[in-house]
Amino acid sequence: MARKIIIDTDPGQDDAVAILLALASPEIEVLGLTAVAGNVPLHHTQRNALVLCELAGRPDLPVYAGAEAPLSRPLVTAEHVHGKTGLDGVTLPDPTMALTPGHAVDFLIETLRREPAGTVTLVPIGPLTNIAMAFQRAPDIIPRVQEIVLMGGAYFEVGNITPTAEFNIYVDPEAASLVFAAGAPLTVMPLDVTHKALTSRPWVEQMRAMGRIGQAIASWTDFFERYDREKYGSEGAPLHDPCTIAWLLAPQLFSGRFINVEIETRGEFTLGMTVADWWRVSGRTPNATFIRDVDVKGLFELLTRRIGELDRRLG
Ligand code: RIB
Ligand code: CA
């Protein structure tokens, strides 16, 4: 039985790789994509989600537009990382498929109420606004969630958009605080692990030698890696969001701890910080499996296999 998921996303080149990995994997049934404003404004993220479905040969997949701004703050975007469109690095044709009518939050609520309890996993890989809005509007769906597997936060790596905060959490800290406190089973892929998921030049060239999916990933990586190379001096692009899907496919590749994680929503210098009690000193109740390490070789072998299979399927 395939695992049913909804990917809540702000594509973003790394979101794109995560979505393609999910659509390439028979163990996963993607019930739909819900777009949220984040890396770039909503009109770009919703378009990018449609473009990715068509690239993957899935014009049937429901794609919903969601929140165009955080719960209670102005939107902060990251064009400096992802480019103006969010998928800079490759020029893809405008989508012919349309958004599915309706709001992303209603889709989240209706799906979780319709599907048997405990059978739908939420995979947020952007700011958590849509998820928080769904939980606020329909608290009855929270116990029906099988698991939330999100990319966001940091502990040892501290922050990437501010000295103390990771982008997805920083954009909507109030939403993150609500989701982390909701009580649904929560697995967090923070910068601590995603900064280890760095592409290598040989792997990128292996992608480039594949079909159009691999070639797109290679070109997105070429564009996306420049930010981290300039900032951290690292070689390669961090595949943040694909770590969530890889966790669903091969959790044995990862390791972490079940700890308490709180979200700073008032700090003058620490807004959006994930206060991860890694050393369990706070006495606060654990609420998240906080991942710190990954078998990088195994992760990229999984990506290569699945993207190769998808490319061969699409011909
Ligand atoms: O901090 C990395 C996260 O922010 C990733 O999800 C990336 O796509 C951006 O949304
Ligand atoms: Ca993202």
Side-chain angles (χ1 to χ4, degrees):
M1 178 82 155
R3 182 153 185 176
K4 291 181 281 190
I5 73 170
I6 296 172
I7 302 176
D8 189 71
T9 179
D10 64 335
Q13 292 86 351
D14 61 316
D15 301 66
V17 181
I19 292 165
L20 292 167
L21 176 60
L23 296 177
S25 301
E27 306 92 321
I28 290 176
E29 179 189 355
V30 181
L31 299 179
L33 302 184
T34 50
V36 66
N39 285 322
V40 287
L42 181 65
H43 70 273
H44 280 307
T45 60
Q46 66 189 39
R47 174 202 179 274
N48 293 344
L50 294 170
V51 163
L52 292 167
C53 289
E54 290 195 334
L55 179 65
R58 289 298 308 277
D60 61 299
L61 200 61
V63 177
Y64 292 86
E68 57 187 348
L71 293 181
S72 55
R73 293 177 183 275
L75 177 64
V76 171
T77 53
E79 287 89 346
H80 60 295
V81 179
H82 299 276
K84 187 175 180 316
T85 71
L87 288 183
D88 285 28
V90 180
T91 303
L92 291 169
D94 283 336
T96 54
M97 68 185 278
L99 287 168
T100 306
H103 194 281
V105 172
D106 294 323
F107 171 68
L108 288 163
I109 294 169
E110 289 157 13
T111 304
L112 282 162
R113 284 176 172 165
R114 180 189 70 242
E115 297 294 329
T119 65
V120 176
T121 292
L122 303 181
V123 183
I125 51 178
L128 290 163
T129 315
N130 287 339
I131 310 299
M133 287 174 70
F135 287 1
Q136 280 178 322
R137 198 181 302 172
D140 61 287
I141 66 174
I142 297 171
R144 303 181 63 83
V145 173
Q146 178 177 25
E147 183 180 15
I148 300 171
V149 184
L150 69 84
M151 190 279 143
Y155 176 58
F156 296 91
E157 286 289 301
V158 198
N160 60 356
I161 187 73
T162 75
T164 58
E166 178 279 326
F167 180 80
N168 287 340
I169 307 299
Y170 178 73
V171 170
D172 199 340
E174 284 76 16
S177 181
L178 189 151
V179 171
F180 275 67
L186 175 61
T187 299
V188 179
M189 290 288 163
L191 296 178
D192 306 90
V193 64
T194 67
H195 273 173
K196 295 170 184 168
L198 291 174
T199 59
S200 68
R201 193 44 45 195
W203 183 80
V204 172
E205 293 317 316
Q206 198 178 1
M207 287 289 115
R208 209 182 312 275
M210 288 186 175
R212 58 200 176 105
I213 303 284
Q215 290 159 20
I217 291 174
S219 300
W220 281 324
T221 301
D222 291 343
F223 182 89
F224 181 50
E225 76 171 351
R226 83 208 185 294
Y227 174 76
D228 285 73
R229 188 192 308 123
E230 286 160 19
K231 177 171 180 180
Y232 299 106
S234 57
E235 277 308 312
L239 292 188
H240 303 290
D241 295 337
C243 287
T244 59
I245 304 300
W247 163 265
L248 295 175
L249 294 171
Q252 69 279 8
L253 294 176
F254 297 89
S255 64
R257 283 183 187 175
F258 184 54
I259 58 172
N260 175 267
V261 182
E262 302 293 338
I263 310 297
E264 181 56 68
T265 58
R266 293 191 296 271
E268 181 182 357
F269 302 108
T270 55
L271 180 69
M273 184 174 195
T274 45
V275 182
D277 187 7
W278 184 261
W279 304 109
R280 300 189 178 106
V281 296
S282 70
R284 291 191 289 263
T285 305
N287 59 338
T289 298
F290 198 80
I291 302 298
R292 187 177 177 191
D293 285 305
V294 60
D295 167 358
V296 175
K297 181 171 178 292
L299 171 66
F300 281 91
E301 283 172 353
L302 172 66
L303 268 167
T304 303
R305 267 197 320 276
R306 293 302 164 91
I307 298 303
E309 287 160 6
L310 181 58
D311 252 331
R312 280 188 293 277
R313 246 194 345 262
L314 293 170

